[in-house]
Amino acid sequence: CLDIARDEPDKRQDMLQKFQDFQKKADLYYVYHTVYRHVVEPFTSVLPEGLFNMSRYLLHNIEEEACYGISKSATLFALAKQSKNLGAFKLARTAYEKLRLLRIPQQFQDTVDLGSLTIRSKPFHDADELLPMCYRCSTTNPLLNKTGNRCVNCKQPFVHSFVNFEVLPLVEFVLEDGLTDEEAVHVLDMSIPKQKKKGPWTESKMGNFQTLRLGEEPPEEEDSFTARLKSNNDSDEFAPVVVNKSTLQAMSRSEVYILKWSKPLRYQFFKSLLPDVPITYCFTCNKLFHTDDFEQQYLQRGHCPFCRSRSDD
Ligand SMILES: [Zn+2]
Ligand SMILES: [Zn+2]
């Protein structure tokens, strides 16, 4: 698709649409494979949290349009079970209620009936630590969200780690008109964050505590990326964070992850809001991961968990 889009401009829009569509389907089937395997053979090596996140990810995506071969009841079944295990009782209730309205295979019917009964003895709310937080506006989000995998407040899409599907502390940003991807990368590579001039370490002593902080700025000089994050909060429509050259110059290269899609797609830029959390991405499929998870999967399987490519470094 991308090749056609690059070489034949009149088909470009169409092919890009198709490409996005295929990408999304690939994501969904990848996730569904794990969820489904868990439903038919409950003893898998996937963490309960992982299954919990994956089934929510799937539901968010299949709510609006069904996807061929992906069973809503299997997804709900996995979700109900994991929510109950992890203490998301409100969500488990919702899942069981939805399951009772669907036709499901007899072998699962008993489990669902039993589950819907036992869940009544549990509290009515979800455990707080399971609720996802938006890294752009700091809103705590509900576990299921009608608008999909995005923040209920600022509509920023969540970025998931493609192993256990936690939300990564990344916020995608786009470049101001007139700034090309290559220029932006160049600016970032050359950038020297302003605070470096004062020495990157600030030392502060508070009683018995001695803290060393890297690159912390005085509050009056809020960096312009943070300022941009907070802008556009009042509109109903999603507005991506737009970044200009001087903001790029103030950013540190190590906090920015760039997915270099081949032409005619644009690069995708992500800023990490928790630079201490190591994040890895695959050069072939451009999926982002928690580094630990990626390395573990890579060691176990010898390839990227998503696209199965091997890198030689
Ligand atoms: Zn938000
Ligand atoms: Zn990959």
Side-chain angles (χ1 to χ4, degrees):
C1 285
L2 279 186
D3 292 337
I4 301 181
R6 185 170 48 220
D7 302 333
E8 297 171 43
D10 45 322
K11 291 191 189 156
R12 180 168 291 178
Q13 207 51 44
D14 216 33
M15 285 298 150
L16 285 184
Q17 186 62 43
K18 259 205 176 124
F19 176 76
Q20 299 296 359
D21 223 49
F22 288 151
Q23 283 278 319
K24 188 175 165 190
K25 288 228 166 76
D27 292 356
L28 293 183
Y29 287 129
Y30 168 75
V31 179
Y32 185 66
H33 174 71
T34 312
V35 171
Y36 181 75
R37 238 189 17 206
H38 171 75
V39 172
V40 290
E41 39 178 303
F43 302 100
T44 48
S45 57
V46 189
L47 295 175
E49 288 82 1
L51 286 163
F52 176 71
N53 295 334
M54 286 179 201
S55 44
R56 284 191 301 120
Y57 178 89
L58 273 179
L59 275 182
H60 279 137
N61 279 298
I62 57 176
E63 201 74 66
E64 42 201 72
E65 54 169 331
C67 192
Y68 179 77
I70 292 186
S71 145
K72 198 168 174 184
S73 49
T75 312
L76 281 167
F77 186 81
L79 179 65
K81 187 172 159 194
Q82 300 309 330
S83 330
K84 201 166 130 189
N85 283 344
L86 295 169
F89 299 122
K90 188 173 155 215
L91 181 61
R93 250 173 246 258
T94 317
Y96 278 124
E97 271 160 29
K98 286 188 174 172
L99 272 174
R100 283 157 59 106
L101 302 173
L102 295 169
R103 266 165 42 122
I104 49 175
Q106 193 55 46
Q107 79 230 53
F108 297 127
Q109 190 67 56
D110 297 340
T111 325
V112 170
D113 290 342
L114 184 65
S116 345
L117 280 180
T118 50
I119 196 71
R120 290 190 198 165
S121 64
K122 305 284 194 227
F124 273 102
H125 54 83
D126 296 327
D128 288 342
E129 67 271 16
L130 294 173
L131 302 177
M133 206 248 316
C134 170
Y135 287 96
R136 182 170 174 190
C137 69
S138 311
T139 304
T140 308
N141 273 257
L143 288 168
L144 271 191
N145 170 3
K146 287 210 170 57
T147 57
N149 277 314
R150 46 183 68 239
C151 170
V152 283
N153 179 37
C154 66
K155 319 285 187 294
Q156 182 75 39
F158 291 130
V159 186
H160 296 268
S161 162
F162 261 66
V163 175
N164 284 318
F165 281 78
E166 298 98 339
V167 175
L168 292 169
L170 297 177
V171 172
E172 186 173 358
F173 63 86
V174 294
L175 304 174
E176 198 180 51
D177 281 349
L179 200 60
T180 68
D181 298 338
E182 289 77 12
E183 270 170 354
V185 173
H186 184 71
V187 170
L188 277 170
D189 284 340
M190 307 309 279
S191 77
I192 306 154
K194 283 201 181 77
Q195 56 268 27
K196 284 249 169 77
K197 289 173 196 157
K198 294 174 249 158
W201 300 92
T202 26
E203 199 180 331
S204 57
K205 275 186 181 157
M206 287 164 69
N208 290 329
F209 298 99
Q210 188 180 30
T211 50
L212 268 180
R213 295 180 188 207
L214 181 63
E216 201 187 49
E217 295 148 292
E220 70 265 24
E221 206 186 299
E222 194 180 48
D223 79 79
S224 54
F225 188 78
T226 319
R228 273 157 207 277
L229 281 185
K230 289 175 184 153
S231 63
N232 292 323
N233 258 2
D234 35 278
S235 74
D236 272 353
E237 289 286 295
F238 166 63
V241 183
V242 182
V243 159
N244 61 17
K245 204 168 170 184
S246 66
T247 310
L248 281 178
Q249 276 162 346
M251 282 172 156
S252 148
R253 179 67 182 86
S254 59
E255 292 171 8
V256 179
Y257 295 87
I258 306 170
L259 304 183
K260 296 184 176 173
W261 296 97
S262 57
K263 289 249 166 356
L265 290 177
R266 298 283 311 253
Y267 292 176
Q268 274 184 297
F269 294 85
F270 296 88
K271 162 102 163 79
S272 170
L273 297 188
L274 297 176
D276 294 340
V277 176
I279 293 169
T280 302
Y281 63 93
C282 168
F283 292 108
T284 311
C285 62
N286 281 335
K287 295 289 172 214
L288 291 144
F289 306 90
H290 276 306
T291 301
D292 291 352
D293 289 343
F294 182 80
E295 280 171 355
Q296 193 199 350
Q297 294 286 319
Y298 200 91
L299 287 177
Q300 271 173 15
R301 308 180 187 200
H303 53 68
C304 161
F306 186 78
C307 68
R308 306 190 182 173
S309 68
R310 295 148 204 275
S311 72
D312 294 322
D313 53 11

